[in-house]
Protein backbone atom coordinates (compact mmCIF):
# COMPACT_ATOMS: atom_id res chain seq x y z
CA UNK A 1 0.00 0.00 0.00
CA UNK A 2 1.46 3.32 -1.10
CA UNK A 3 2.11 5.83 1.59
CA UNK A 4 2.95 9.36 2.49
CA UNK A 5 4.17 9.41 6.06
CA UNK A 6 4.37 12.48 8.25
CA UNK A 7 6.63 12.01 11.21
CA UNK A 8 4.40 13.56 13.87
CA UNK A 9 0.65 13.58 14.30
CA UNK A 10 0.63 16.21 17.04
CA UNK A 11 3.34 18.69 17.93
CA UNK A 12 3.53 21.44 20.53
CA UNK A 13 6.33 23.98 20.22
CA UNK A 14 7.27 27.25 21.89
CA UNK A 15 7.36 30.61 20.17
CA UNK A 16 10.76 31.21 18.59
CA UNK A 17 11.71 27.55 18.29
CA UNK A 18 12.95 26.11 15.02
CA UNK A 19 10.54 23.39 13.96
CA UNK A 20 11.05 20.57 11.47
CA UNK A 21 8.13 18.72 9.90
CA UNK A 22 9.16 15.63 7.99
CA UNK A 23 7.40 13.89 5.12
CA UNK A 24 8.43 10.68 3.40
CA UNK A 25 6.78 8.98 0.41
CA UNK A 26 7.46 5.52 -0.96
CA UNK A 27 5.89 5.91 -4.42
CA UNK A 28 8.85 7.40 -6.30
CA UNK A 29 6.77 10.54 -6.93
CA UNK A 30 8.54 13.49 -8.50
CA UNK A 31 6.37 16.16 -6.90
CA UNK A 32 5.95 16.88 -3.22
CA UNK A 33 3.94 19.61 -1.52
CA UNK A 34 3.34 21.24 1.83
CA UNK A 35 -0.05 22.76 2.60
CA UNK A 36 -1.54 24.25 5.69
CA UNK A 37 -5.21 23.73 6.43
CA UNK A 38 -7.20 26.25 8.45
CA UNK A 39 -10.96 26.31 9.05
CA UNK A 40 -12.76 28.45 6.50
CA UNK A 41 -9.63 28.89 4.42
CA UNK A 42 -9.27 25.43 2.92
CA UNK A 43 -5.80 24.30 1.92
CA UNK A 44 -3.13 26.83 1.11
CA UNK A 45 0.11 25.90 -0.60
CA UNK A 46 3.28 26.78 1.29
CA UNK A 47 6.00 25.25 -0.89
CA UNK A 48 6.40 22.52 -3.44
CA UNK A 49 9.22 20.59 -5.03
CA UNK A 50 9.28 18.95 -8.46
CA UNK A 51 12.70 17.34 -8.12
CA UNK A 52 15.51 16.74 -5.68
CA UNK A 53 16.98 20.04 -4.45
CA UNK A 54 14.35 21.97 -6.44
CA UNK A 55 11.72 24.03 -4.69
CA UNK A 56 9.21 26.72 -5.49
CA UNK A 57 7.24 29.06 -3.31
CA UNK A 58 3.54 28.58 -3.01
CA UNK A 59 0.98 31.13 -1.89
CA UNK A 60 2.09 31.59 1.72
CA UNK A 61 5.85 30.89 2.00
CA UNK A 62 6.66 33.59 4.54
CA UNK A 63 8.11 32.19 7.73
CA UNK A 64 8.77 28.79 6.17
CA UNK A 65 11.54 27.06 4.27
CA UNK A 66 11.88 23.57 2.82
CA UNK A 67 14.51 20.99 2.06
CA UNK A 68 14.53 18.11 -0.39
CA UNK A 69 17.85 16.31 -0.36
CA UNK A 70 16.41 12.95 -1.40
CA UNK A 71 13.53 12.18 -3.72
CA UNK A 72 11.45 10.50 -1.05
CA UNK A 73 11.79 13.12 1.69
CA UNK A 74 10.48 16.68 1.86
CA UNK A 75 10.95 18.70 5.02
CA UNK A 76 9.14 21.85 6.08
CA UNK A 77 11.05 24.17 8.40
CA UNK A 78 9.60 26.90 10.56
CA UNK A 79 12.63 29.09 11.15
CA UNK A 80 11.20 30.80 14.24
CA UNK A 81 7.78 29.47 15.17
CA UNK A 82 5.04 31.97 15.90
CA UNK A 83 1.53 31.52 17.27
CA UNK A 84 -0.02 32.34 13.88
CA UNK A 85 1.64 29.21 12.53
CA UNK A 86 -0.58 27.06 14.70
CA UNK A 87 -2.33 24.94 12.09
CA UNK A 88 -2.78 21.56 10.46
CA UNK A 89 0.06 20.83 8.04
CA UNK A 90 -0.51 18.40 5.19
CA UNK A 91 2.14 16.86 3.00
CA UNK A 92 1.23 15.45 -0.42
CA UNK A 93 2.99 13.88 -3.36
CA UNK A 94 2.16 13.13 -6.98
CA UNK A 95 3.60 11.95 -10.25
CA UNK A 96 4.48 14.62 -12.76
CA UNK A 97 1.23 14.37 -14.68
CA UNK A 98 -2.46 14.53 -14.32
CA UNK A 99 -2.87 12.37 -11.29
CA UNK A 100 -4.29 13.50 -8.00
CA UNK A 101 -2.32 13.87 -4.84
CA UNK A 102 -1.59 11.25 -2.22
CA UNK A 103 -1.78 12.92 1.17
CA UNK A 104 -0.17 12.20 4.49
CA UNK A 105 -2.22 12.04 7.69
CA UNK A 106 -1.31 15.56 8.71
CA UNK A 107 0.55 17.15 11.60
CA UNK A 108 -1.38 19.36 13.97
CA UNK A 109 1.11 21.94 15.19
CA UNK A 110 0.39 24.14 18.17
CA UNK A 111 2.75 27.02 18.89
CA UNK A 112 2.46 28.37 22.44
CA UNK B 1 -6.20 33.92 -10.96
CA UNK B 2 -7.84 30.56 -10.54
CA UNK B 3 -10.40 30.26 -7.80
CA UNK B 4 -12.53 27.42 -6.48
CA UNK B 5 -15.68 28.17 -4.50
CA UNK B 6 -17.69 25.83 -2.32
CA UNK B 7 -20.72 27.73 -1.10
CA UNK B 8 -22.04 25.11 1.33
CA UNK B 9 -19.96 25.03 4.53
CA UNK B 10 -22.07 22.24 6.04
CA UNK B 11 -24.62 19.74 4.84
CA UNK B 12 -26.40 16.72 6.21
CA UNK B 13 -28.18 13.80 4.58
CA UNK B 14 -30.06 10.77 5.79
CA UNK B 15 -28.45 7.40 5.33
CA UNK B 16 -29.33 5.80 1.95
CA UNK B 17 -30.39 9.12 0.43
CA UNK B 18 -28.66 11.15 -2.26
CA UNK B 19 -26.81 14.41 -1.68
CA UNK B 20 -25.15 16.88 -4.04
CA UNK B 21 -22.21 19.07 -3.07
CA UNK B 22 -21.67 22.22 -5.13
CA UNK B 23 -18.44 23.59 -6.53
CA UNK B 24 -17.79 26.41 -8.96
CA UNK B 25 -14.45 27.46 -10.33
CA UNK B 26 -12.99 30.23 -12.36
CA UNK B 27 -10.22 29.80 -14.89
CA UNK B 28 -9.20 31.28 -18.20
CA UNK B 29 -7.43 28.08 -19.23
CA UNK B 30 -8.79 25.48 -21.63
CA UNK B 31 -6.94 22.45 -20.32
CA UNK B 32 -7.44 21.69 -16.68
CA UNK B 33 -8.45 18.97 -14.27
CA UNK B 34 -10.99 18.94 -11.48
CA UNK B 35 -10.98 16.80 -8.36
CA UNK B 36 -13.04 15.97 -5.32
CA UNK B 37 -11.18 14.95 -2.18
CA UNK B 38 -12.63 13.47 1.00
CA UNK B 39 -11.15 14.07 4.44
CA UNK B 40 -12.75 11.80 7.08
CA UNK B 41 -12.46 12.63 10.78
CA UNK B 42 -9.25 10.53 10.87
CA UNK B 43 -7.85 13.32 8.66
CA UNK B 44 -6.10 11.55 5.79
CA UNK B 45 -7.33 13.13 2.59
CA UNK B 46 -8.18 10.74 -0.22
CA UNK B 47 -9.06 11.30 -3.86
CA UNK B 48 -12.70 10.56 -4.60
CA UNK B 49 -13.06 11.39 -8.26
CA UNK B 50 -11.29 13.21 -11.07
CA UNK B 51 -12.52 14.90 -14.25
CA UNK B 52 -10.54 16.07 -17.26
CA UNK B 53 -12.01 19.26 -18.67
CA UNK B 54 -11.68 18.08 -22.27
CA UNK B 55 -13.93 15.09 -21.59
CA UNK B 56 -17.64 15.73 -21.96
CA UNK B 57 -18.65 12.57 -20.18
CA UNK B 58 -19.15 12.96 -16.45
CA UNK B 59 -16.83 10.86 -14.29
CA UNK B 60 -18.29 8.14 -12.09
CA UNK B 61 -16.76 6.05 -9.31
CA UNK B 62 -19.25 3.63 -7.78
CA UNK B 63 -21.69 5.74 -5.70
CA UNK B 64 -19.89 8.98 -6.54
CA UNK B 65 -20.53 10.90 -9.72
CA UNK B 66 -20.01 14.44 -10.93
CA UNK B 67 -22.08 16.88 -12.89
CA UNK B 68 -19.55 18.81 -14.93
CA UNK B 69 -20.95 21.91 -16.63
CA UNK B 70 -18.00 23.44 -18.42
CA UNK B 71 -19.74 26.55 -19.72
CA UNK B 72 -21.13 27.32 -16.29
CA UNK B 73 -17.81 26.37 -14.63
CA UNK B 74 -19.63 24.11 -12.25
CA UNK B 75 -18.42 20.77 -10.88
CA UNK B 76 -20.83 19.23 -8.37
CA UNK B 77 -20.42 15.90 -6.60
CA UNK B 78 -23.36 13.55 -6.19
CA UNK B 79 -23.23 10.84 -3.57
CA UNK B 80 -25.87 8.17 -4.00
CA UNK B 81 -27.05 5.76 -1.31
CA UNK B 82 -25.20 7.74 1.37
CA UNK B 83 -23.44 5.72 4.04
CA UNK B 84 -22.28 6.65 7.53
CA UNK B 85 -18.70 6.30 6.30
CA UNK B 86 -19.29 9.16 3.88
CA UNK B 87 -19.27 11.57 6.82
CA UNK B 88 -16.28 13.80 6.07
CA UNK B 89 -15.06 17.13 4.84
CA UNK B 90 -15.14 17.30 1.04
CA UNK B 91 -12.82 19.55 -0.94
CA UNK B 92 -13.14 20.52 -4.56
CA UNK B 93 -9.87 21.29 -6.36
CA UNK B 94 -8.62 22.30 -9.78
CA UNK B 95 -5.29 22.09 -11.55
CA UNK B 96 -4.26 23.65 -14.83
CA UNK B 97 -2.54 21.32 -17.27
CA UNK B 98 1.21 21.82 -17.24
CA UNK B 99 1.31 23.24 -13.73
CA UNK B 100 2.02 21.62 -10.40
CA UNK B 101 -0.29 23.66 -8.30
CA UNK B 102 -3.77 22.71 -7.17
CA UNK B 103 -6.32 25.25 -6.06
CA UNK B 104 -8.61 24.03 -3.29
CA UNK B 105 -11.99 25.25 -2.19
CA UNK B 106 -12.78 25.89 1.48
CA UNK B 107 -14.56 22.57 1.91
CA UNK B 108 -18.04 21.25 2.71
CA UNK B 109 -18.56 19.31 5.92
CA UNK B 110 -21.00 16.48 5.21
CA UNK B 111 -22.71 14.56 7.96
CA UNK B 112 -24.62 11.38 7.17
CA UNK B 113 -27.38 10.76 9.69
CA UNK B 114 -28.50 7.30 10.79
Amino acid sequence: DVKVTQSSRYLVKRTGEKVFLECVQDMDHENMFWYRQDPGLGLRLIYFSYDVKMKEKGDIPEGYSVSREKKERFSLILESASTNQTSMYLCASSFAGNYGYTFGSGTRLTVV
Amino acid sequence: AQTVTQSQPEMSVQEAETVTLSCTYDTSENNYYLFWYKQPPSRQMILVIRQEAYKQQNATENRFSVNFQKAAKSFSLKISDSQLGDTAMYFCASRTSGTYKYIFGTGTRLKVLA
Side-chain angles (χ1 to χ4, degrees), chain A residues 65-83:
Chain A
S65 62
V66 290
S67 172
R68 194 169 181 197
E69 296 296 320
K70 294 184 178 181
K71 190 175 185 179
E72 66 271 17
R73 185 181 296 270
F74 191 37
S75 303
L76 179 69
I77 304 155
L78 285 65
E79 298 291 343
S80 177
S82 64
T83 54

Side-chain angles (χ1 to χ4, degrees), chain B residues 88-101:
Chain B
M89 182 75 88
Y90 288 83
F91 290 94
C92 179
S94 71
R95 183 177 79 83
T96 299
S97 180
T99 69
Y100 303 108
K101 184 178 171 181

Side-chain angles (χ1 to χ4, degrees), chain A residues 9 31 33 35 37 40 42-43 45 48 50 59 88 90 97-101 103 105 108, chain B residues 33 35 37 39 42-47 50 89 91 95 97 100-106:
Chain A
R9 201 160 173 92
N31 301 332
F33 307 83
Y35 283 85
Q37 181 182 359
L43 278 70
L45 181 63
F48 67 97
Y50 52 89
D59 298 317
M88 171 71 77
L90 295 176
N98 307 329
Y99 302 94
Y101 288 159
F103 280 92
S105 296
R108 184 170 293 284
Chain B
Y33 305 87
F35 306 85
Y37 283 88
Q39 187 181 39
S42 63
R43 295 186 305 175
Q44 185 152 19
M45 195 103 67
I46 55 174
L47 178 64
R50 176 182 61 157
M89 182 75 88
F91 290 94
R95 183 177 79 83
S97 180
Y100 303 108
K101 184 178 171 181
Y102 288 68
I103 306 295
F104 285 87
T106 53

Side-chain angles (χ1 to χ4, degrees), chain B residues 1-87:
Chain B
Q2 271 190 306
T3 59
V4 175
T5 302
Q6 294 179 251
S7 58
Q8 305 152 314
E10 293 186 358
M11 296 186 72
S12 61
V13 62
Q14 288 295 134
E15 198 175 6
E17 293 189 349
T18 295
V19 64
T20 298
L21 280 57
S22 301
C23 173
T24 58
Y25 60 93
D26 190 17
T27 180
S28 57
E29 303 292 332
N30 284 323
N31 296 322
Y32 54 91
Y33 305 87
L34 299 167
F35 306 85
W36 278 99
Y37 283 88
K38 170 185 176 182
Q39 187 181 39
S42 63
R43 295 186 305 175
Q44 185 152 19
M45 195 103 67
I46 55 174
L47 178 64
V48 174
I49 200 164
R50 176 182 61 157
Q51 174 83 41
E52 291 88 346
Y54 62 85
K55 288 188 177 178
Q56 292 187 340
Q57 187 172 4
N58 289 327
T60 300
E61 288 287 341
N62 301 313
R63 298 183 293 107
F64 298 88
S65 61
V66 298
N67 182 6
F68 175 45
Q69 303 284 334
K70 191 171 184 178
K73 295 182 179 176
S74 171
F75 183 61
S76 59
L77 175 70
K78 186 171 83 170
I79 306 174
S80 304
D81 186 24
S82 297
Q83 300 175 0
L84 296 178
D86 295 333
T87 291

